[in-house]
Amino acid sequence: MCGIMGYVGPNQAAPVLLDGLQRLEYRGYDSAGIAVLNSKIHVRKAEGKVDRLLELTDNSPLSGTVGIGHTRWATHGVPSDLNAHPHTDPSGSIVVVHNGIIENFYELRDQLTAEGHEFTSETDTEILAHLVARAYDGDLVAAVRDAVSQAEGAYALVVMAVHEPGKIVAVRRISPLIVGLGDGETFLASDIPAVLHRTRDFLIIEDGELVIVDENGASIETIEGAKVDREPLHVDWDAEMAEKGGYDHFMLKEIHEQPAVVTETLGGRLEEDGTAWLENVDFDDEFARNLGRIWITACGTAYNAGMVGSEIFRRLLRMPTSVEYAHEMRYADPLVSEGDLVIAISQSGETADTLAAARLAKERGARLLAVTNVVGSTLSREADDILYTRAGPEISVASTKAYMAMLIGQYLLALRLGAARGLSDPALAERVIHGLHTLPASLEELMHREAEVAEAAKRIANAQDVYYIGRGLDYAVAVEGSLKLKEISYIHAEAMPAGELKHGTLALITEDVPVIVVLTQEALYDKTVSAIQEVKARGGDVIAVAYDDDERIGRFCDTVLRIPRSNDLLGPVSAVVPLQLLAYHVARIRGNDIDQPRNLAKSVTVE
Ligand code: AGP
């Protein structure tokens, strides 16, 4: 996720900006840059770490007391010196940095190109520099307003103009932006840790607001121009807490980021009528129509997301779809052939087994589509089509928000394929489209129910074994829930289809064995309840994940973790949240290292 810095004050801007960018490194990035205004705009930027930028500025120092800076996490365009921010307009009189995505990027670029504008990078950001410059007639605030009225999406934008030295104008549209209030100096940043050692007083810029920073401090307006009065927030977190946005662990922060992640993953890609616009997914309708089979291959949590995906493709497209562990598929001489679509899912895009399975599929003539979070990753470079999940860097080893984004990406893919092939059940597809649009709000609502999950965690914190059951899509979610528990609590956990319990595992159910059951699939409800009864008859403690309006479930279960009502095909997306939180709180009670669990690595680049 990109990081933003800005400085206006009596001191040299460059060292403040560079120091702030280093403190934002935890957000993940692939290039960095700063611009300092001193009668002209001077830019230094480079692919790679801030250290490289430091070398550049050491060799070619920048002098001036106003400036902006950026760490870039690539979305449009590969990581490179040219694509690094800041970006200027061709005359060099406007300079911008930006965090987030301009959804109507292609449309705006075509418009500007038709007017004769030429671009030096592949980024959506450069478009913003051109838009501001085009609108500028001596009033930077008005020009920024004009530019953001055209640029759709979730982003934060920071701008300086050569003709208005001493001023920075910034806008927040969803992506975070804060102002640090120092003694005679003012800082802008995308996150508090960047400047927490310089001030403890902050203005948190809200969605839809514009802030003007100059020698007098900061003044906030709405984008439309209404004045906003905001009391500064005094922060007494320590630096480590601040990096985690005030949460105790990155995992918890990332769980809570999921509503925003869904908004990002969907951003500009799904119209109300269900048309899915997927940049970098280039197969044509003929390929989609003639498609013989879909294969999904991945490992770990990405595989679990694929389990949900295979059911989405089956239900929305009636397409034969298999999901294969990449480490199995690569040695299994799979029946992949020309005309098949192989979807390789990987947060990092660097998992060795997934890369090997993907390469095998390509050798056999299949079309390779990568669902990945990392722009420029090996998987993305080798794929024919790429669906970037836009979850932002995930720091906790236990994956949560990346899983969520993988699910959303697969719904979008199914709708894209369905547009060409026809959807098997248009009414179901309509419910899914509506549900996707309302999903961020219901996930947000779920986050407020964490205390109930923390309470339920006490019931299983001392268990030796926990079983997770469900049917259909609920089974797929149960698998992910059990993996989360294993990874961070070190309790043995196992997921199985609810109907399988009686074929053996029931022998292990006693009153000391908690069973977690997921119940979002209406058609399978009664059957799953039968499995609950089997558990209850052996004294097992049952915790259910069920819809708010499920009035029957209380009769069968000891504890119910409620989720907002959804349709069957989207139910698992909400159901996974209480399971993530449950694992988190159990691990917390047990005093484990939640973000760095023993024996595990974030990216498994060995076989
Ligand atoms: C999940 O919490 C784990 N970190 C792990 O299972 C992970 O999903 C797996 O190693 C695959 O990683 P990838 O998505 O980067 O390919």
Side-chain angles (χ1 to χ4, degrees), residues 74 93 150 164 308 336 440 467:
S93 59
Q150 298 170 66
E164 292 180 56
V308 175
V336 175
Y467 291 93

Side-chain angles (χ1 to χ4, degrees), residues 1-23:
M1 228 179 311
C2 303
I4 280 176
M5 270 298 294
Y7 178 74
V8 177
N11 297 315
Q12 285 298 315
V16 178
L17 298 172
L18 291 164
D19 170 69
L21 294 184
Q22 279 180 313
R23 289 169 195 272

Side-chain angles (χ1 to χ4, degrees), residues 474-495:
D474 287 339
Y475 165 56
V477 175
V479 174
E480 175 57 8
S482 74
L483 179 62
K484 289 288 90 80
L485 190 75
K486 274 187 274 205
E487 281 183 288
I488 58 170
S489 77
Y490 315 146
I491 295 176
H492 166 249
E494 198 178 328

Side-chain angles (χ1 to χ4, degrees), residues 299-302 345-349 351 354 397-399 406 483-484 487 602 604:
C299 305
T301 282
I345 309 179
S346 172
Q347 187 283 131
S348 60
T351 300
T354 307
V397 167
S399 180
M406 288 164 183
L483 179 62
K484 289 288 90 80
E487 281 183 288
K602 183 67 188 158
V604 185

